[in-house]
Amino acid sequence: AAGVIQSPRHLIKEKRETATLKCYPIPRHDTVYWYQQGPGQDPQFLISFYEKMQSDKGSIPDRFSAQQFSDYHSELNMSSLELGDSALYFCASSPRTWGPSGGTQYFGPGTRLLVL
Amino acid sequence: DQQVKQNSPSLSVQEGRISILNCDYTNSMFDYFLWYKKYPAEGPTFLISISSIKDKNEDGRFTVFLNKSAKHLSLHIVPSQPGDSAVYFCAARGQGGSEKLVFGKGTKLTVNP
């Protein structure tokens, strides 16, 4: 079965540079989520999109922005990178299902960002 | 403030025995709970979920139990296999209508042959 695709898988940047992470959701999934996982930490929610509109926002720095495109893929743009931005960035997708039985998020393999 | 807590950072069991992973939460607004399995350098893999209107959900070797009054859920793996060795994350959804997942810190399960 098709899974969530993230690119690149690894990225090395210098401080103050910019980075763009891409996410391609599972076909027919219209909701995309971004999470950040620091070393030894649990994943922290950053932002989500449904039908190209921001649907929820978490602890995303102002230096970061994201969007979802008409083909449902999403990009996370990170500017003025800091050492503390080094982390695993996961994208997840889900079909839009309300109620108590839906909304399972399926995760991609992640992008490991290292800021030097 | 950790709203989803996995108090055991690690667990070791023998192959063929039962593995029980525990998770506690503090927010009664959560309406959906999930367990994910994660290998190093990979994304979390969905295992099993349970909605707040149920107290048990079973899928093969995996069973999740939810005790709403105690704000506690557990994942049972029977029988445990060496391939089950991984970090298991408990996650909750639904705080204030949000779809974001709130994760616990994870429990590293080691299944010894």
Side-chain angles (χ1 to χ4, degrees):
Chain A
V4 176
I5 297 172
Q6 290 188 246
S7 68
R9 293 294 309 278
H10 303 273
L11 191 58
I12 299 175
K13 291 286 184 179
E14 302 265 336
K15 279 173 53 178
R16 292 180 289 277
E17 285 190 322
T18 62
T20 297
L21 280 54
K22 297 185 178 182
C23 169
Y24 297 85
I26 293 171
R28 291 179 296 281
H29 283 193
D30 50 17
T31 306
V32 170
Y33 311 80
W34 286 96
Y35 292 83
Q36 177 193 57
Q37 185 180 23
Q41 300 297 313
D42 51 296
Q44 295 290 321
F45 172 75
L46 292 177
I47 196 167
S48 63
F49 291 87
Y50 165 63
E51 285 291 346
K52 300 167 287 266
M53 299 286 289
Q54 180 182 308
S55 54
D56 202 354
K57 190 174 181 180
S59 49
I60 183 169
D62 292 339
R63 300 177 288 108
F64 294 6
S65 65
Q67 57 183 324
Q68 185 180 32
F69 296 85
S70 58
D71 63 351
Y72 296 107
H73 95 271
S74 179
E75 295 183 4
L76 178 65
N77 299 293
M78 310 160 71
S79 63
S80 302
L81 286 169
E82 301 174 355
L83 297 179
D85 296 329
S86 296
L88 264 173
Y89 290 84
F90 291 110
C91 172
S93 73
S94 74
R96 190 68 161 186
T97 307
W98 295 105
S101 62
T104 296
Q105 295 179 25
Y106 296 88
F107 284 76
T111 294
R112 183 173 292 279
L113 172 66
L114 178 61
V115 181
L116 302 175
Chain B
D1 179 30
Q2 192 74 18
Q3 297 188 66
V4 177
K5 301 177 184 178
Q6 293 177 256
N7 292 319
S8 297
S10 63
L11 175 67
S12 183
V13 299
Q14 285 299 120
E15 180 179 6
R17 306 292 290 268
I18 184 172
S19 295
I20 300 176
L21 296 99
N22 294 303
C23 177
D24 297 294
Y25 61 95
T26 58
N27 193 328
S28 57
M29 296 294 292
F30 290 138
D31 65 356
Y32 194 57
F33 302 89
L34 309 92
W35 284 95
Y36 288 87
K37 173 181 178 181
K38 187 178 182 301
Y39 295 113
E42 294 185 11
T45 300
F46 170 70
L47 277 177
I48 192 168
S49 62
I50 187 167
S51 77
S52 59
I53 62 174
K54 296 186 175 182
D55 55 19
K56 178 183 175 181
N57 189 26
E58 190 172 357
D59 184 2
R61 296 186 299 115
F62 302 93
T63 303
V64 57
F65 296 91
L66 175 63
N67 182 332
K68 282 185 65 178
S69 60
K71 295 191 177 68
H72 176 84
L73 63 156
S74 61
L75 174 68
H76 293 211
I77 307 174
V78 182
S80 301
Q81 301 173 353
D84 296 329
S85 298
V87 176
Y88 288 77
F89 285 97
C90 170
R93 186 205 75 180
Q95 178 190 7
S98 170
E99 290 188 321
K100 73 177 186 183
L101 294 181
V102 179
F103 285 84
K105 295 289 187 187
T107 296
K108 183 176 182 181
L109 173 66
T110 302
V111 180
N112 301 302

